[in-house]
Amino acid sequence: METIYTDLLSIGAGLAGERVAVEAAMAGFDTICLSIVPPRRSHSSAAQGGMQASLGNCAMGAGDNPDVHFQDTVKGSDWGCDQEVARMFAETAPIAVREMAFWGIPWNRVVPGKSTYYKGGKQFEKVEAKEKEGLITARDFGGTAKWRTCYTSDGTGHTLLYTMDNKAVETGVKVHDRVEAISLIHDGETCMGAVARCMKTGKLRVYLAKATLIATGGYGRIYRETTNAVINDGSGAIIALDTGIVPIGNPEAIQFHPTGIVPTHILVTEGCRGDGGTLLDVNEQRFMHEYEPTKAELASRDVVSRWMTHHIRQGKGVPSPYGYHLWLDIRHLGEQHIKTKLREVEEICNNFLGVDPITQLIPVRPAQHYTMAGVRTNKDGAAYGLKGLFSAGEAACWDMHGFNRLGGNSLAETIVAGRIVGIKLVEFLKGYEVKFNTEAIKDSVEKDKERIERLIGCKDGKENVYAVRNAMQDELMDKVGIFRNGKDLQSAVDNLQVIYERSKKVGLKSNGIGASPELSLAIKIQGMLRLALCVAHGACVRTESRGCHAREDFPERNDRDWLKRTLATWKEGDTLPTLNYEPVTKLMELPPGDRGYGSTKIIS
Amino acid sequence: MTRRLTFNIFRYNPQDPTSVPHTDTYALEEAERMTLYIALTKIREEQDSSLIFDFCCRAGICGACAMVINGRPGLACKTLTKDLPDEITLMPLPVFKLVGDLSVDTGTWFRAMNEKVESWVHSSKKMDPTVQEERMDNALAEEIYELERCVECGCCVAACGTANMRPDFLGATALNRIARFIMDPRDERTEKEYFEIVGTDEGIFGCMGLLACEDVCPKQLPLQDQLGILRRKMGWTAVKQLFGLAK
Amino acid sequence: MAIDTTIYVRPQSGISAYLDWLQMLTGAGLILFMWSHMILVASVNLGVGAMNTLAKFFEDYYMAQVGGPMIGITFLLHFALAARKVPFRTEQQSTIWKHSKMLHHKDTWLWMVQAVTAMIILIMGAIHMWTVLTDLPITAQKSAARIQGGFWLVFYLILLPMVELHVGIGFYRIAVKWGFIKRKTRHGFDGFENILTMIFIAIGLITIVRFMLIKV
Ligand SMILES: Cc1cc2nc3c(=O)[nH]c(=O)nc-3n(C[C@H](O)[C@H](O)[C@H](O)COP(=O)(O)OP(=O)(O)OC[C@H]3O[C@@H](n4cnc5c(N)ncnc54)[C@H](O)[C@@H]3O)c2cc1C
Ligand code: HEM
Ligand code: HEM
Ligand code: SF4
Ligand code: F3S
Ligand code: FES
């Protein structure tokens, strides 16, 4: 079998993976990134809105600084984050943005003089200062005290990823695309790399590395309705969970986005609301200001998502063949604004709905959007439990987002964490030697080979992999969604356990030769169910509401009993994850308080 | 009212010795707002699980799903079936190496392209994290972004007769990329250095002005205009070189 | 894989650029020539005397004797330069042919037309030039006699549209390749170019008819 040695193996070539890889490559280490798709197609490219950094250049961001950003982040997390990490993050974000500018991002810049903007459907005026001309500007995004979201029109993720990959090419980072890691190689103490399947040829390959990084992004595809790319099915989290040692942090912390278009759930950016777009109900009337008088449409996304669902439940949804939805209205922003500042949105509506947002309303409803959950690491990005294993980006629970991440904070996380973890990883690599345990390697490979043979040969049954996956997605969407309650959650756990048993009987219909997409899914279907069970079980046990974990039966945030982070591991042979807990943060710089939005009661 | 769609799909799995290139036909009931992403996914999940094709963002952003749709290269995820006739023929992109059925290896091609045009800002400066960023005019930033919108889908390459005939031709996407860096004041490369890369028959002088690139680009990049500007620029550089004036 | 960077060698700096300049300039030169040629030949419509005077004028100043071979050389040079782009290997030919059929794309087809007409022009143009230039001086009567002979009538009926198509498309292509036509103006220019080509073909046909009517 082909075996490849390297210093750093990054599983994932999105923003986070490549940022870490670039740091290692610049320090002279041999670096390989694996990716399911060519690196520039990673889901980071889909982020449109922008990323947060407290540069304070634009008029509406005047006076901004890392302190304010830190506070917004902690409040946003509903005090579920690690405050040390959040502090580090807020301090580093401006540097990371400038670094990306240096590397080539065409950030939008301050244009001095008067201009108008919309908030809650009303027009306001602002004046940009002459002395700030040409500095990186920012726009408004939900849940922040200042305008802090740096952007490039509406292709921020795209330009970030392209610039990052340019840097990767420049620094000689090797990328093996269409290669999917299917298990980690470890001996219970040290991680030595991964077994991967080439998605061009179907062949297995062994990657041995001094350090392995999981930067595989989010896993929205365990839900039926999600804004995530079709490749975001959690394989990174799965291989970590499969070690039985490395925990998934806060698996129940899943965020929903208010404006996925119906029926495909492609996201239209929060920038729409930031720029003054409004939400309308079946009577084409605004409603958000009734629930959130000050912030209205600009309240944080979990709050907006929740009120949207609530409003639909009140019978105010618009009926359609795809179920009830609401309207997003950006018509009043005008053709000029929509065609320049919101061009991607215009394209999306025209291309995927046949709707012209300049003259028509956009059908939207909330969809799964972001996984705050992820591979639990310390503040240096080192995963709990295995030496030589790291994680960064959306795949990680580093944990600056706690129970809700703010819009624009995740792109920022990828390059900030990438930078910080990269530096720490380089320190780790310097002078570190690993003994590759041949037994453990052989073990892993044999297991994976056998797994695949059994699937192709239908040795355990002929269960259809797509049917199993769909059943799982329905269960999560309907019962582990935005509003949760004990009864539904328990039923979800029970049903998922049944589906988990089915997943063990999956067998291929096709021959599984070569690129075989069916085999790809079949390999991870059991892992996806374990992951789903972590989410459902974690949510079921957490009897409080925090951030976007909203329990109807426990509406208050309970700092007395639940100011702690869930750590889920999976012992081989079990049918439920093992849940442990740790304090959310060692350093409580900002003591728990009111978020200032959402009407949560707090038990302290 | 609902149509019954017929899909003729190119099939070949190069990894499978028993597979030969052929066309398979599938029938599907059309649904409201159906895109090729929805249709192909349905076919794979309900009719033929061996079908290979690529989707990633399914939102026209990542460039993964380019294929030849009724003769024209385009993004499958942003193609609504209602804009197509009852009979839909799908082929993989030419020029790129076939992975299987409708899936081609664009990753290797584009990485090589990026290496060849040295697709990064060449700067002799060192980044100082403590100082304010260099200023840039917003209009210029937006102009650069306009060219940076390329999603490396490969449609322009697949549609280009020159690229089909000559495997070493760089293609409109690469030429556009160079144009983007020429525009960027942060890149310190000289006229001569750019000329070395694209002032050749593999580069701008290989382009025959067929304009299929311009006409198929799903992101509507201003390829025609940029190719014209680049040819003139490189043409003048060559003339200046003749008189020893090129920088 | 299309680009193999490991075997990539920096080409001789500038060669491609100069050749492209020359290709464009010879093309443009030939266009100018064809327009002058049109004036000479079509002047017969104004009367036999008009054409003869023009022809004599050219000859008296040795334009035909020197200019003729010059045009011949330009013609061959242009051919040599443009031929670099024409697929001669059968494999390439079948690629571009299949490609054009698949794509349904006008500008790609136009190029195919240009390449095919080029081959015809190469042969017929050379024969024509040889015939005319070895039989100086040019007079309307001699031309008329040739055409009325029948063979040359058919010959010109084929060559004329070939040349005009090639010239018309060539003109458009220079403008596109060198950025004189922009995305915004392309569509309008298309139409203009078509009309121009039609007019030239029409004038040519009228001229041929006129030659048929001259008594020899
Ligand atoms: C529609 C949308 C819009 C968004 N908009 C914004 C926004 O405006 N602002 C903001 O801050 N955030 C936004 N986000 C969130 C943000 O984009 C992501 O959190 C972030 O880009 C994740 O980056 P990443 O590098 O961690 O992962 P990704 O970019 O998802 O990269 C994951 C990488 O891992 C690879 N991979 C996965 N599994 C494997 C495996 N098993 N083996 C090998 N490789 C593997 C993939 O191929 C890919 O290269 C948005 C998210 C979505 C879905
Ligand atoms: C009177 C005769 C001719 C005229 C007026 C003429 C004119 C032109 C012009 C203006 C162009 C565009 C140049 C460019 O794109 O740079 C062109 C292109 C071309 N010509 Fe001619 N030409 C003539 C004869 C020929 C002949 C004999 C050939 C024989 C092979 C030929 C082959 C071509 C080809 C293949 C091209 C396309 C080149 C490309 O697209 O890059 N031409 N011609
Ligand atoms: C110096 C070179 C040339 C000279 C002196 C010349 C001269 C003439 C003359 C005298 C005629 C009238 C018919 C005849 O006498 O047979 C004629 C017609 C014609 N020539 Fe040429 N020619 C030259 C080059 C070319 C070239 C290069 C082409 C194209 C490739 C060309 C294409 C034609 C055509 C199509 C006609 C018929 C025109 C019509 O009916 O309007 N000629 N030429
Ligand atoms: S230029 Fe257009 S067609 Fe070509 S790769 Fe880029 S986006 Fe695709
Ligand atoms: S199609 Fe090809 S020949 Fe030039 S104009 Fe576009 S690159
Ligand atoms: S799937 Fe990303 S562009 Fe079509």
Side-chain angles (χ1 to χ4, degrees):
Chain A
M1 178 160 316
E2 193 179 357
T3 305
I4 295 166
Y5 294 85
T6 182
D7 293 323
L8 169 63
L9 176 71
S10 168
I11 304 174
L15 275 173
E18 287 207 324
R19 182 62 189 85
V20 175
V22 161
E23 195 69 37
M26 287 195 301
F29 290 101
D30 189 49
T31 308
I32 297 177
C33 290
L34 307 185
S35 178
I36 295 177
V37 289
R40 295 176 191 219
R41 311 213 192 292
S42 298
H43 202 50
S44 292
S45 67
Q48 300 174 316
M51 63 162 282
Q52 294 210 27
S54 55
L55 295 170
N57 290 329
C58 68
M60 302 296 290
D64 198 10
N65 59 43
D67 288 332
V68 188
H69 190 185
F70 165 78
Q71 285 166 19
D72 280 344
T73 304
V74 177
K75 282 183 198 163
S77 80
D78 226 352
W79 277 268
C81 72
D82 182 330
Q83 296 197 10
E84 235 179 309
V85 169
R87 171 51 76 180
M88 218 162 45
F89 160 78
E91 301 280 348
T92 313
I95 296 171
V97 168
R98 290 190 181 124
E99 186 172 61
M100 293 308 293
F102 187 74
W103 288 347
I105 305 262
W107 292 116
N108 277 68
R109 305 290 177 140
V110 175
V111 180
K114 263 191 210 154
S115 58
T116 55
Y117 68 94
Y118 287 89
K119 198 159 189 156
K122 278 202 275 300
Q123 191 172 336
F124 296 89
E125 198 168 83
K126 65 183 170 63
V127 184
E128 297 289 348
K130 181 77 190 147
E131 68 269 17
K132 299 282 188 187
E133 179 170 11
L135 295 174
I136 297 169
T137 192
R139 61 158 62 123
D140 199 8
F141 234 28
T144 64
K146 305 272 181 191
W147 287 24
R148 188 187 297 134
T149 311
C150 308
Y151 64 99
T152 51
S153 297
D154 40 22
T156 314
H158 172 87
T159 52
L160 276 169
L161 187 59
Y162 270 55
T163 301
M164 193 63 84
D165 194 53
N166 282 344
K167 198 71 195 163
V169 175
E170 182 190 352
T171 54
V173 171
K174 285 172 234 145
V175 178
H176 294 188
D177 72 308
R178 287 179 186 264
V179 175
E180 181 172 29
I182 59 170
S183 68
L184 289 175
I185 304 172
H186 68 98
D187 56 10
E189 279 163 22
T190 312
C191 179
M192 288 166 272
V195 180
R197 178 171 164 267
C198 173
M199 299 168 96
K200 295 176 202 167
T201 61
K203 294 209 173 70
L204 291 189
R205 226 182 261 162
V206 176
Y207 287 89
L208 296 179
K210 290 184 189 167
T212 307
L213 174 82
I214 295 183
T216 50
Y219 43 85
R221 286 280 154 181
I222 58 176
Y223 280 83
R224 184 182 63 219
E225 280 137 29
T226 172
T227 63
N228 285 194
V230 298
I231 62 166
N232 286 25
D233 41 24
S235 45
I238 290 168
I239 58 179
L241 194 62
D242 283 355
T243 60
I245 305 162
V246 180
I248 300 296
N250 285 340
E252 65 272 35
I254 304 282
Q255 185 182 64
F256 290 75
H257 194 285
T259 49
I261 59 167
V262 181
T264 41
H265 305 102
I266 296 168
L267 173 142
V268 291
T269 172
E270 218 153 2
C272 286
R273 285 178 298 121
D275 289 1
T278 53
L279 290 167
L280 307 180
D281 60 19
V282 66
N283 304 317
E284 299 195 12
Q285 271 170 359
R286 286 184 63 197
F287 56 89
M288 272 308 297
H289 62 286
E290 287 166 22
Y291 301 113
E292 296 289 326
T294 48
K295 288 244 170 185
E297 276 87 353
L298 290 174
S300 85
R301 60 180 55 176
D302 59 320
V303 173
V304 176
S305 300
R306 208 176 314 151
W307 288 127
M308 284 172 75
T309 309
H310 175 78
H311 207 62
I312 290 175
R313 285 189 187 172
Q314 298 295 301
K316 298 287 183 65
V318 186
S320 88
Y322 308 101
Y324 289 93
H325 62 77
L326 295 160
W327 298 116
L328 173 64
D329 184 7
I330 59 171
R331 294 173 299 185
H332 52 283
L333 302 185
E335 182 165 346
Q336 162 76 18
H337 185 96
I338 294 173
K339 287 210 148 144
T340 51
K341 294 268 161 46
L342 298 169
R343 179 165 60 188
E344 305 266 347
V345 175
E346 197 218 354
E347 279 181 20
I348 286 173
C349 292
N350 277 299
N351 294 330
F352 302 92
L353 292 173
V355 164
D356 176 9
I358 296 168
T359 56
Q360 289 170 295
L361 298 171
I362 311 168
V364 293
R365 74 173 161 224
Q368 189 286 342
H369 183 51
Y370 189 83
T371 38
M372 277 75 71
V375 177
R376 177 67 185 135
T377 70
N378 66 13
K379 65 180 187 209
D380 298 340
Y384 282 20
L386 281 182
K387 197 173 170 197
L389 183 64
F390 296 78
S391 184
E394 190 172 343
C397 178
W398 184 32
D399 174 14
M400 55 168 278
H401 302 305
F403 274 77
N404 186 37
R405 98 157 159 149
L406 296 183
N409 252 359
S410 45
L411 275 185
E413 178 188 14
T414 61
I415 59 171
V416 170
R419 197 172 193 278
I420 294 171
V421 174
I423 291 168
K424 290 291 169 189
L425 215 147
V426 166
E427 280 172 21
F428 170 85
L429 281 173
K430 280 187 181 145
Y432 175 73
E433 282 307 324
V434 60
K435 266 259 224 22
F436 294 120
N437 178 337
T438 40
E439 257 336 279
I441 299 167
K442 234 178 83 192
D443 238 43
S444 281
V445 174
E446 286 312 315
K447 244 196 216 157
D448 285 329
K449 263 192 187 158
E450 197 197 317
R451 213 147 57 105
I452 291 173
E453 271 160 29
R454 299 191 77 81
L455 286 167
I456 292 178
C458 296
K459 297 261 170 57
D460 306 300
K462 284 198 162 175
E463 210 36 273
N464 178 331
V465 67
Y466 297 110
V468 172
R469 187 205 57 192
N470 292 348
M472 170 194 76
Q473 288 177 334
D474 287 348
E475 211 58 43
L476 282 180
M477 198 72 221
D478 297 339
K479 297 177 190 151
V480 200
I482 304 165
F483 274 111
R484 302 168 174 185
N485 63 65
K487 192 169 125 269
D488 284 350
L489 288 170
Q490 191 52 53
S491 137
V493 171
D494 296 342
N495 292 342
L496 283 168
Q497 284 181 307
V498 175
I499 303 167
Y500 181 45
E501 291 310 314
R502 274 174 68 192
S503 75
K504 294 177 180 166
K505 300 197 184 81
V506 162
L508 294 198
K509 286 205 277 184
S510 63
N511 62 15
I513 295 174
S516 182
E518 190 189 13
L519 180 58
S520 284
L521 183 59
I523 290 174
K524 59 198 159 207
I525 187 69
Q526 289 185 38
M528 287 172 84
L529 271 143
R530 288 192 281 270
L531 202 56
L533 274 162
C534 288
V535 177
H537 188 48
C540 188
V541 174
R542 185 175 284 272
T543 48
E544 65 156 353
S545 291
R546 184 180 296 275
C548 50
H549 170 69
R551 290 279 300 248
E552 289 163 317
D553 43 355
F554 297 95
E556 54 290 309
R557 190 179 88 202
N558 185 344
D559 289 338
R560 189 188 59 211
D561 305 317
W562 285 105
L563 197 56
K564 53 193 184 185
R565 179 178 300 109
T566 311
L567 297 176
T569 49
W570 194 286
K571 305 268 171 295
E572 210 177 324
D574 279 3
T575 57
L576 266 188
T578 308
L579 301 183
N580 291 301
Y581 294 90
E582 67 173 9
V584 285
T585 184
K586 284 197 194 109
L587 220 92
M588 191 67 81
E589 189 181 333
L590 187 70
D594 185 10
R595 286 211 280 176
Y597 46 81
S599 50
T600 17
K601 276 180 255 131
I602 300 166
I603 303 173
S604 45
Chain B
M1 150 93 224
T2 51
R3 294 190 297 167
R4 204 166 167 71
L5 301 173
T6 306
F7 287 86
N8 303 313
I9 300 180
F10 173 86
R11 301 299 309 273
Y12 176 52
N13 183 351
Q15 299 300 321
D16 182 351
T18 64
S19 168
V20 286
H22 65 284
T23 303
D24 275 346
T25 301
Y26 305 91
L28 197 69
E29 201 87 355
E30 184 173 37
E32 201 188 342
R33 287 174 193 161
M34 184 181 253
T35 60
L36 286 183
Y37 158 67
I38 294 173
L40 283 169
T41 309
K42 243 174 129 59
I43 291 174
R44 175 152 82 197
E45 293 187 7
E46 291 165 12
Q47 301 187 31
D48 186 344
S49 60
S50 67
L51 192 57
I52 305 169
F53 52 76
D54 293 322
F55 286 98
C56 182
C57 69
R58 58 79 182 84
I61 291 171
C62 76
C65 63
M67 56 182 73
V68 179
I69 305 157
N70 284 349
R72 282 266 176 147
L75 295 180
C77 70
K78 66 183 268 191
T79 304
L80 291 157
T81 53
K82 78 170 166 59
D83 296 334
L84 297 173
D86 297 353
E87 186 143 341
I88 299 166
T89 302
L90 302 176
M91 308 266 283
L93 288 189
V95 181
F96 301 95
K97 191 175 163 196
L98 185 74
V99 171
D101 300 345
L102 299 175
S103 164
V104 294
D105 182 2
T106 49
T108 313
W109 195 97
F110 274 99
R111 170 77 185 215
M113 182 280 272
N114 280 310
E115 282 171 3
K116 185 155 172 189
V117 305
E118 302 189 2
S119 169
W120 60 84
V121 167
H122 290 53
S123 173
S124 55
K125 292 184 199 136
K126 245 187 98 60
M127 153 88 191
D128 181 353
T130 57
V131 304
Q132 211 172 39
E133 65 273 16
E134 259 181 54
R135 291 172 196 250
M136 180 185 267
D137 184 40
N138 189 54
L140 175 61
E142 285 183 351
E143 259 180 82
I144 296 174
Y145 175 69
E146 185 65 18
L147 304 194
E148 179 124 338
R149 284 167 41 245
C150 167
V151 296
E152 299 196 348
C153 63
C155 288
C156 59
V157 178
C160 171
T162 311
N164 273 271
M165 281 191 290
R166 302 175 209 286
D168 54 358
F169 180 54
L170 279 171
T173 171
L175 299 170
N176 171 71
R177 184 65 50 81
I178 281 292
R180 177 241 176 273
F181 284 107
I182 291 178
M183 198 182 276
D184 194 330
R186 289 167 295 196
D187 196 313
E188 293 164 0
R189 273 181 279 186
T190 61
E191 263 176 42
K192 254 185 167 158
E193 285 171 288
Y194 286 125
F195 187 84
E196 291 265 295
I197 300 171
V198 290
T200 65
D201 271 340
E202 287 79 53
I204 185 66
F205 297 117
C207 162
M208 307 196 297
L210 301 181
L211 297 191
C213 53
E214 162 93 5
D215 293 338
V216 301
C217 175
K219 287 287 167 185
Q220 277 102 41
L221 267 90
L223 296 174
Q224 176 189 345
D225 293 356
Q226 289 307 320
L227 290 170
I229 292 169
L230 195 63
R231 186 183 294 265
R232 273 206 275 202
K233 228 175 220 147
M234 291 300 136
W236 282 124
T237 307
V239 171
K240 282 197 249 168
Q241 243 169 35
L242 207 56
F243 297 104
L245 294 172
K247 285 180 290 206
Chain C
M1 222 340 271
I3 307 171
D4 185 347
T5 43
T6 52
I7 58 160
Y8 175 65
V9 196
R10 286 266 142 84
Q12 273 288 306
S13 206
I15 293 290
S16 313
Y18 301 131
L19 295 183
D20 201 56
W21 269 113
L22 272 181
Q23 179 185 322
M24 188 269 271
L25 291 174
T26 52
L30 286 171
I31 292 182
L32 286 180
F33 166 74
M34 287 314 295
W35 287 344
S36 328
H37 175 278
M38 171 72 66
I39 293 173
L40 167 73
V41 179
S43 64
V44 76
N45 291 317
L46 301 177
V48 172
M51 178 169 167
N52 284 344
T53 318
L54 259 181
K56 187 157 175 348
F57 171 82
F58 281 125
E59 253 155 80
D60 284 353
Y61 292 90
Y62 299 101
M63 274 189 200
Q65 294 88 329
V66 182
M70 289 267 290
I71 291 300
I73 292 168
T74 313
F75 185 82
L76 289 178
L77 186 60
H78 174 74
F79 157 68
L81 291 166
R84 297 174 306 144
K85 313 280 174 179
V86 181
F88 287 109
R89 294 215 316 271
T90 39
E91 176 204 325
Q92 284 184 335
Q93 277 170 2
S94 93
T95 307
I96 187 76
W97 178 242
K98 272 196 231 140
H99 175 75
S100 308
K101 278 199 301 192
M102 173 195 91
L103 201 61
H104 312 300
H105 178 251
K106 194 169 117 207
D107 284 63
T108 303
W109 273 120
L110 286 182
W111 186 83
M112 293 293 278
V113 170
Q114 206 180 8
V116 171
T117 52
M119 292 305 142
I120 298 169
I121 296 171
L122 174 67
I123 296 163
M124 296 184 89
I127 297 173
H128 162 69
M129 267 196 283
W130 182 262
T131 312
V132 176
L133 290 176
T134 52
D135 187 20
L136 290 178
I138 298 171
T139 66
Q141 286 80 2
K142 271 204 291 194
S143 300
R146 251 199 298 271
I147 292 179
Q148 289 172 20
F151 169 79
W152 289 100
L153 172 66
V154 179
F155 187 92
Y156 288 139
L157 283 179
I158 298 171
L159 184 57
L160 175 70
M162 293 297 142
V163 172
E164 295 309 342
L165 278 173
H166 189 90
V167 167
I169 300 169
F171 189 53
Y172 166 74
R173 199 169 294 288
I174 287 181
V176 163
K177 278 162 75 173
W178 291 83
F180 299 112
I181 302 178
K182 292 269 166 25
R183 167 181 281 188
K184 281 210 192 83
T185 48
R186 177 167 158 218
H187 199 68
F189 197 90
D190 262 16
F192 168 73
E193 189 45 54
N194 286 344
I195 293 171
L196 209 66
T197 305
M198 300 301 262
I199 291 177
F200 279 139
I201 294 183
I203 296 179
L205 287 175
I206 293 170
T207 308
I208 292 179
V209 171
R210 171 71 203 172
F211 274 124
M212 293 296 288
L213 298 177
I214 293 177
K215 284 217 182 67
V216 281

